[in-house]
Amino acid sequence: MRRVFNFSAGPATLPQDVLEKAQADILNWQASGMSVMEMSHRGKEFMSIAAEAEADLRELMAIPDNYKVLFLQGGASSQFAMVPLNLLRGKTSADYYRTGSWSKKAIAEAKRYCNVNVVANTEIDGSFTAVPEQGSVAFNPDAAYVHYTPNETIEGVEFPYVPDTGDVPLVADMSSTILSRPIEVSKFGVIYAGAQKNIGPAGLTIVIVREDLIGDVKDGAPAMFDYATHAKNDSMYNTPPTYSWYLAGLVFAWLKKQGGLMAMAEINERKAGKLYAAIDASNFYAAPAAVNCRSWMNVPFTLANAELDAVFLAEAKAANLVTLKGHRSVGGMRASIYNAMPEAGVDALIAFMADFEKRNG
Ligand SMILES: *Cc1c(COP(=O)(O)O)cnc(C)c1O
């Protein structure tokens, strides 16, 4: 059976071991006689799947007991609204970093609910290639929270530090960097992530929220947009995305088997490091992101001659390397190399790039 190396930014490649496990379970999960897709979310079988997934995620990320883990729907894009609705708590403004396409979207949504104070804006001539220097940003002491995007998926720009916001809760859209390395959860008020990059299939959104930030939603907010609704009901107020939750659980178990997030960090740093090194060593390829904030997960790069882009993509595809086209807003190429991208895939891409350069450079 032919499997390609899929560099899609999301939905993204999944570990083959996980897909094989899902395949083995598909008709009959653990002698239940049912597929996980067919189970009641309130039955004891699915309850055990759900509980194990949460326990494994808590273990992987060392999530403290005073944080709830919510398994929701609606994508990271719904969190752009849920965060202000739940965290404003009578305040009228929030601080936002503006470092790329996803933080721009988060800002646009938050403006529907509050005054957005842009504390840093790294856009230059329509591009985002850097993050503010650590400690260079002044926060508003009256802000309800500070929001940032640790990894800008489209631009491939990643914060090499966690901003220190003092007593003001820090909110992070970790959609494309969660689980790529260990983090200190206690530095954050809310962490959220759509699953389809580094967790599992689309349809699931993980929210990790400090308990004291739950329970004072803005008047008139829908029940489904209130963290308390989901926290009180163990994410089963309504039917959760059961199959995505199960698949995410298989990914968490797989990550534990790989040695956890310390081991993943080492692998991810090595994978990204060798790809950037290959780009830097060539006069034919270039990576636009500033060296100190290059993403481990999304590696945008350009060819010296953009007229070769289409040929590059076609030949890459013929070599089993797919979905390398950059986001339409920035052009060029982008290799997304999340946890599930095997190192062999990165090696194959580097070898292909060298060969392409030899023939076209
Ligand atoms: C993909 C992505 C989103 C959007 O996620 P949806 O689940 O499609 O709403 C938001 N933020 C970041 C950083 C992303 O990478």
Side-chain angles (χ1 to χ4, degrees):
M1 183 210 28
R2 172 178 166 270
R3 292 261 305 162
V4 296
F5 289 121
N6 176 11
F7 295 91
S8 171
T13 196
L14 288 163
Q16 185 158 329
D17 287 356
V18 164
L19 294 175
E20 283 170 359
K21 177 78 173 87
Q23 182 181 44
D25 287 351
I26 192 90
L27 291 175
N28 182 7
W29 180 84
Q30 291 193 6
S32 65
M34 283 182 270
S35 174
V36 175
M37 269 180 266
E38 302 168 306
M39 288 174 183
S40 164
H41 57 296
R42 306 199 190 278
K44 71 174 183 344
E45 292 93 350
F46 187 76
M47 296 287 260
S48 75
I49 290 170
E52 188 170 327
E54 178 175 341
D56 282 349
L57 180 62
R58 284 185 173 276
E59 183 184 329
L60 281 166
M61 294 183 69
I63 299 173
D65 288 344
N66 63 326
Y67 285 74
K68 291 282 189 203
V69 179
L70 309 178
F71 291 78
L72 308 182
Q73 305 190 48
S77 301
S78 291
Q79 295 309 309
F80 295 167
M82 279 180 88
V83 164
L85 285 170
N86 286 271
L87 264 58
L88 281 169
R89 307 163 82 82
K91 296 200 171 186
T92 55
S93 83
D95 286 355
Y96 276 73
Y97 282 80
R98 188 177 184 278
T99 54
S101 302
W102 286 115
S103 50
K104 272 167 67 179
K105 283 203 154 178
I107 288 168
E109 188 68 11
K111 280 184 172 166
R112 297 159 61 94
Y113 304 105
C114 64
N115 299 316
V116 169
N117 176 31
V118 173
V119 290
N121 177 13
T122 55
E123 184 170 16
I124 298 175
D125 296 336
S127 305
F128 294 91
T129 56
V131 303
E133 214 172 295
Q134 185 166 15
S136 67
V137 167
F139 302 109
N140 170 8
D142 290 328
Y145 60 90
V146 178
H147 180 281
Y148 84 122
T149 310
N151 184 63
E152 288 280 4
T153 320
I154 291 174
E155 290 80 6
V157 168
E158 179 153 30
F159 279 71
Y161 61 89
V162 176
D164 180 359
T165 57
D167 290 337
V168 180
L170 178 62
V171 178
D173 174 1
M174 286 202 189
S175 295
S176 51
T177 186
I178 192 166
L179 299 174
S180 66
R181 76 204 72 188
I183 54 156
E184 211 174 308
V185 173
S186 63
K187 290 183 173 169
F188 299 87
V190 177
I191 292 168
Y192 63 88
Q196 69 273 20
K197 278 108 188 200
N198 217 11
I199 295 174
L204 169 70
T205 311
I206 302 265
V207 178
I208 301 166
V209 51
R210 213 174 63 210
E211 275 168 357
D212 62 287
L213 298 173
I214 299 173
D216 191 5
V217 79
K218 199 173 168 73
D219 282 349
M224 283 292 288
F225 274 56
D226 181 353
Y227 288 145
T229 302
H230 301 289
K232 267 188 278 196
N233 292 284
D234 295 327
S235 305
M236 299 213 191
Y237 169 74
N238 71 323
T239 315
T242 51
Y243 199 73
S244 298
W245 191 333
Y246 153 76
L247 243 292
L250 295 186
V251 171
F252 301 152
W254 177 81
L255 287 169
K256 280 174 59 177
K257 223 170 96 187
Q258 308 309 302
L261 300 193
M262 292 273 255
M264 292 319 297
E266 201 176 298
I267 298 167
N268 287 326
E269 186 172 24
R270 190 168 67 233
K271 278 158 54 187
K274 61 167 93 166
L275 182 49
Y276 287 114
I279 293 167
D280 288 345
S282 133
N283 292 321
F284 186 76
Y285 301 105
V291 172
N292 72 332
C293 52
R294 284 171 163 180
S295 170
W296 286 4
M297 297 280 103
N298 312 96
V299 181
F301 62 94
T302 55
L303 276 54
N305 176 2
E307 280 172 18
L308 289 172
D309 284 3
V311 187
F312 179 93
L313 289 166
E315 291 188 9
K317 188 168 179 210
N320 264 356
L321 308 166
V322 308
T323 337
L324 283 161
K325 197 172 164 54
H327 192 270
R328 60 190 182 281
S329 63
V330 299
M333 306 298 153
R334 175 178 47 169
S336 294
I337 52 173
Y338 301 115
N339 285 340
M341 171 58 65
E343 191 156 356
V346 176
D347 292 338
L349 174 61
I350 292 169
F352 168 79
M353 288 168 68
D355 181 60
F356 187 86
E357 176 176 358
K358 208 181 293 165
R359 291 181 287 109
N360 298 279

